[in-house]
Amino acid sequence: MNEQYPTAEFLVICRGEWDTTLLQKEKQNVIDQFYAWFDELVDQGKIKRGQRLTSQGNTIGEKGAITDGPFGESKEVIGGYWFVLAQNLDGAAHIVKGDPCLDHAKLVEIRPIDSGAGTHGSWRNELASADNTSQ
């Protein structure tokens, strides 16, 4: 009997810049491959669409200090995000490693979404976790 486990949701953060040796035509080809791959996985229910991000933004730091730009180095640029549905983090990574952009200096970060965080009273758990990691 093949028992089905609940599917978890993972945030996929797209980072980095294109390989500078790629010609515009080659870059467009990779983008077309990405959307073919992506749309197929959306149709299969393995991926949920996210959004592309612009390069504009502000960072708000300690004591409300506002600075231009959401990033420090080009390798830290976040270009967008989407979601993958899988049984665990390894399963999510297996799906995402098929992204054609990964062969051209782009990289992605996959993070599990904590469905309990961000709810009323959950800050107590977040503070306890932070205290445990600093010991």
Side-chain angles (χ1 to χ4, degrees):
M1 178 190 232
N2 186 9
E3 196 171 319
Q4 187 72 23
Y5 293 98
T7 300
E9 192 170 4
F10 299 84
L11 175 66
V12 180
I13 303 166
C14 305
R15 296 182 182 272
E17 292 188 300
W18 286 101
D19 178 346
T20 57
T21 64
L22 276 181
L23 300 174
Q24 188 62 31
K25 183 177 179 179
E26 293 170 319
K27 193 184 304 183
Q28 186 59 54
N29 185 40
V30 173
I31 291 169
D32 293 344
Q33 290 174 29
F34 169 81
Y35 281 110
W37 170 80
F38 189 85
D39 290 342
E40 181 177 336
L41 291 172
V42 168
D43 291 345
Q44 293 174 9
K46 295 180 180 179
I47 285 180
K48 290 172 42 178
R49 296 185 189 283
Q51 298 287 321
R52 289 179 25 193
L53 302 174
T54 70
S55 60
Q56 299 172 326
N58 286 343
T59 301
I60 299 136
E62 190 174 338
K63 298 184 182 185
I66 300 173
T67 58
D68 291 339
F71 43 82
E73 297 182 34
S74 61
K75 67 182 179 183
E76 297 174 353
V77 173
I78 298 174
Y81 65 92
W82 36 280
F83 304 91
V84 64
L85 304 171
Q87 293 177 1
N88 54 43
L89 187 56
D90 289 339
H94 182 74
I95 291 169
V96 173
K97 76 178 186 178
D99 179 346
C101 296
L102 296 176
D103 292 333
H104 304 283
K106 294 286 192 172
L107 62 102
V108 296
E109 178 181 343
I110 305 169
R111 303 283 302 272
I113 294 178
D114 183 351
S115 60
T119 58
H120 180 67
S122 67
W123 62 272
R124 289 180 194 94
N125 293 334
E126 290 174 14
L127 291 176
S129 295
D131 289 342
N132 290 337
T133 59
S134 64
Q135 295 177 358

